[in-house]
Amino acid sequence: DTGVSQDPRHKITKRGQNVTFRCDPISEHNRLYWYRQTLGQGPEFLTYFQNEAQLEKSRLLSDRFSAERPKGSFSTLEIQRTEQGDSAMYLCASSLWPNTGELFFGEGSRLTVL
Amino acid sequence: ELKVEQNPLFLSMQEGKNYTIYCNYSTTSDRLYWYRQDPGKSLESLFVLLSNGAVKQEGRLMASLDTKARLSTLHITAAVHDLSATYFCAVVHSGGGADGLTFGKGTHLIIQP
C-alpha cells in the first residue's frame, strides 16, 4: 500500500462553482478524516468517518461543505458555491482505530478560488 | 474547547545548536502527536506519545509528554540544516478520538549553516 492518496492535487475554480475532492485511505484503515489548512496555520479538523458512518460533522465550515464515504473505503469532500475564502489545502488522513490514534496524511488537494 | 499552543512560532538557529519547542494544551489529554511538514508537502508523523512521562527519540529529535502539566516538548540536539521544517503538535481529547486531532499553529524552524 502506498499510503493515503488525494485527487486532484490542485484545483483552480471560479467563485460560485462546485468542487469535489477524493481521498483513498490506507486500505486497512477504518477511520478517515478531513482537515483544512490555510497558510501559516495548523490543520483544522472538519469531519471524520468510521467505516461508512460520519461520526462528527459539526465542524464542517458551513452547509456548503459535505462529505461522504459511501462504502467505507474512499471518501469525497464537496464544496458547493465556492467562495474566495475557501481557498486552502484540504488534507485527508486515515487511521486504524482502536490503535494509537496516529493519523497518516495524504499530500493534500490545494484549492484556489478566483 | 481544546486549545493547543506552540512556542515559539518561529525559530531561526544555527547548525550545531540545541533548542526546545514547547506545546501546551488546555484540557485533559493522554495522547499527543508531533508532525513535521516541509513546504508544500503533507504532514509526516514523527512521534506518538501515549502516556504521562513518555519519551521518544529519533536521531536528533526527542519528544516528551507531561500530562499533569499539559505540556510536551520537542528537543533538537546539534541541529542540522535538514531539520528545517514546520513542526506541529496535536492533541486528542481524553477518552480519545472522538473529534480527531487539534493542532497547534506550528513552529517554523529554520536552521542556518
Side-chain angles (χ1 to χ4, degrees):
Chain A
D1 190 280
T2 56
V4 179
S5 63
Q6 293 187 242
D7 183 72
R9 296 289 310 280
H10 303 275
K11 178 72 176 178
I12 300 173
T13 191
K14 292 182 179 179
R15 188 176 52 187
Q17 298 295 306
N18 299 343
V19 296
T20 299
F21 301 112
R22 176 182 168 121
C23 172
D24 287 89
I26 294 172
S27 58
E28 62 267 28
H29 285 183
N30 52 1
R31 284 197 172 180
L32 185 150
Y33 298 79
W34 285 100
Y35 283 80
R36 183 180 81 155
Q37 187 177 25
T38 54
L39 195 62
Q41 300 294 315
E44 176 186 12
F45 171 76
L46 296 178
T47 187
Y48 87 106
F49 296 83
Q50 180 157 316
N51 300 314
E52 66 274 11
Q54 189 172 13
L55 298 187
E56 174 60 62
K57 57 182 179 180
S58 66
R59 305 273 189 95
L60 287 168
L61 301 165
S62 77
D63 58 7
R64 298 183 296 105
F65 287 71
S66 64
E68 293 184 339
R69 194 183 184 196
K71 298 182 180 179
S73 56
F74 74 91
S75 175
T76 57
L77 176 71
E78 181 182 18
I79 309 173
Q80 295 183 327
R81 305 180 303 281
T82 53
E83 301 173 357
Q84 288 186 324
D86 296 333
S87 296
M89 177 76 86
Y90 291 86
L91 295 166
C92 175
S94 68
S95 72
L96 182 62
W97 188 267
N99 202 335
T100 65
E102 182 181 12
L103 301 191
F104 296 84
F105 282 85
E107 292 293 317
S109 294
R110 181 169 295 283
L111 173 65
T112 301
V113 182
L114 301 177
Chain B
E1 180 186 349
L2 175 59
K3 294 188 186 302
V4 181
E5 293 187 353
Q6 290 184 234
N7 180 37
L9 297 181
F10 181 83
L11 175 59
S12 178
M13 56 190 291
Q14 288 187 318
E15 280 191 324
K17 300 292 187 182
N18 303 333
Y19 209 82
T20 300
I21 299 170
Y22 297 89
C23 174
N24 289 91
Y25 53 97
S26 61
T27 64
T28 302
S29 180
D30 55 4
R31 296 178 178 225
L32 190 137
Y33 308 80
W34 283 96
Y35 287 85
R36 167 181 173 150
Q37 187 175 37
D38 292 298
K41 302 291 187 181
S42 191
L43 285 85
E44 173 192 357
S45 178
L46 293 175
F47 298 110
V48 178
L49 303 170
L50 299 177
S51 61
N52 186 42
V55 177
K56 295 274 185 80
Q57 183 163 3
E58 180 72 33
R60 301 174 187 272
L61 299 177
M62 183 173 70
S64 65
L65 177 62
D66 180 344
T67 59
K68 294 180 181 178
R70 298 177 186 170
L71 171 68
S72 179
T73 61
L74 180 66
H75 186 73
I76 304 158
T77 301
V80 293
H81 178 68
D82 285 353
L83 292 178
S84 297
T86 300
Y87 293 86
F88 293 95
C89 64
V91 177
V92 64
H93 280 288
S94 185
D99 290 331
L101 300 182
T102 299
F103 282 79
K105 290 188 174 182
T107 296
H108 184 51
L109 175 63
I110 295 177
I111 298 170
Q112 316 228 5

